Structure formats: structure tokens, C-alpha cells
Amino acid sequence: MAELAALEDPRAREVNEKRGDDHGVNLSKLRAVAKRLKTQQELARQLWETNDTAARLLALLVCRPKAFERDELDAMLREAGTPKVHDWLVNYVVKKSPHSEGLRQSWFADPDPVVASAGWALTTERVAKSPEGLDLPGLLDVIESEMREAPDRLQWAMNHCLAQIGIEHAELRARALDIGERLEVLKDYPTPPNCTSPFAPIWINEMVRRAGESRAG
């Protein structure tokens, strides 16, 4: 904890707090600490219990994802607090857990929109990697009826799922593009130069274009 405190950078904290993340540790430096520590499940649990954001991020880098029980992961998600901890927990731990699919199903329709956004993130992963058994037209129905009014985190996750369906599934691409055009979610999102807009129609078309170029190459 003293080492993490020594890595605190006021400028980094200022930038992070604008995104809702209450820590000031440079993530490259945090990863360097994790690389040195290697995997330590007991330490990871202790770091998580501190309730400190930087410590929790480090915990997610040094933990053993398959060592957590399903109820433990559910509790961790509900107390994750900040967007970065939530994202790392889902992407670095839950996606590698044998409980991933069960949690995806239970989180997907959770009344807490932040928890539901994790269910959508796991669904998007399946859209890309293992869509068998998913009702993709049904997902588009939900997105079409609920995404525009959804809270920010949930809206972002639904939008990612919409884009992924359009990118990966050519037979549903026209409908995905149409939904994106009509709902106009994230249409005006400020996008840095050389980055792809999160507005689904632009995102879908750009990724399909790149895939076509790579195949042609």
C-alpha cells in the first residue's frame, strides 16, 4: 500500500477523476508492480479488501481468475465502485472464469444498470467468439427498444453489442446499421484523431472495411 501511495500522481488523478476513477497511479507503473509480484491469489484478496481503487486494480492483475467462486465474483462486481475496476474485473477475471456464462445470464437483466452492463459485456464477448445458442435478433430487439433511454454505462455496453453483431454477422448487418442510424446513440461522441467513433454505423462500417482489406491483402 505504501508503494502504491508513492506512485500517486496528482495530474493522473485529475484526469482519472473526470472519468469517475478515484486513483492517481499510472497504469503502466501499476502493471510493472504486478509483473514483479506475479500471481498471488491471497495477496489479491487482501488488496481487494482494502477498498482502495489502485489496490483493487493491482489485485485484478495478480489474482488467479479461476480461483474465485461464483458468489465471490458477483459480490466483487457489485462493490467494484469505479468504472476501471468494473471493466478490469469483467475483462481480466470474469471472462476467464468457469462461472462466466452463469454470471452473464444472471447479470444480463439485473435491475442495477451497472451490473446489467457487465452482463451485456459478456454477451458481446460471446457474439464475437461463440455466438451459438444466442438469440441475436432478440438482442437487437432489446437494443432497439431500450438502448436510447438506458443509463450511460448500460447504454455503452448495449451499443458495443450492437456494433459487434453488425461487424461479425453479415446477415444482421443491415438491421444493426439501421438501428444505429435511427437511435443516434453516441453519434456526437468526441472521438480523437485516428480513433474509430463509437457511433455504431461508423464503427461497423470501419471494422468491416478493415476486415475486407486484410483478406484482400
Side-chain angles (χ1 to χ4, degrees), residues 6 63 184-185 196:
C63 73
E184 298 188 335
V185 168
T196 303

Side-chain angles (χ1 to χ4, degrees), residues 1-17:
M1 293 304 294
E3 186 173 349
L4 290 176
L7 292 174
E8 177 80 18
D9 178 345
R11 286 170 299 179
R13 177 174 284 275
E14 186 180 343
V15 171
N16 289 330
E17 285 184 342

Side-chain angles (χ1 to χ4, degrees), residues 23-174:
H23 75 94
V25 178
N26 177 288
L27 296 182
S28 296
K29 292 180 180 177
L30 192 74
R31 290 180 190 280
V33 174
K35 190 173 181 180
R36 190 186 78 233
L37 291 171
K38 300 186 171 63
T39 301
Q40 297 192 44
Q41 180 66 10
E42 188 52 41
L43 175 62
R45 282 198 166 99
Q46 292 171 355
L47 288 167
W48 184 270
E49 290 302 320
T50 66
N51 206 24
D52 176 82
T53 294
R56 285 186 160 183
L57 291 172
L58 182 60
L60 298 173
L61 294 175
V62 301
C63 73
R64 186 175 290 108
K66 293 179 181 177
F68 292 108
E69 298 297 332
R70 173 176 166 157
D71 288 350
E72 198 173 5
L73 291 172
D74 182 72
M76 288 169 72
L77 186 85
R78 293 176 190 279
E79 64 183 37
T82 68
K84 184 65 73 178
V85 172
H86 178 276
D87 290 344
W88 280 22
L89 176 61
V90 172
N91 288 298
Y92 297 169
V93 181
V94 179
K95 284 182 180 179
K96 298 175 184 175
S97 165
H99 307 295
S100 176
E101 178 58 17
L103 288 169
R104 181 190 76 81
Q105 293 178 20
S106 66
W107 289 342
F108 186 80
D110 195 277
D112 182 334
V114 175
V115 175
S117 75
W120 277 89
L122 294 171
T123 300
T124 301
E125 175 91 346
R126 277 201 55 193
V127 166
K129 295 185 176 177
S130 56
E132 302 78 16
L134 286 180
D135 177 7
L136 298 178
L139 286 173
L140 290 177
D141 289 344
V142 176
I143 291 167
E144 188 170 19
S145 64
E146 298 181 15
M147 181 171 73
R148 182 182 277 165
E149 304 304 323
D152 287 351
R153 297 289 297 282
L154 181 55
Q155 184 185 69
W156 189 274
M158 285 182 166
N159 184 70
H160 190 178
C161 191
L162 172 65
Q164 204 70 56
I165 292 172
I167 292 162
E168 301 287 345
H169 300 277
E171 73 281 7
L172 295 170
R173 188 169 297 146

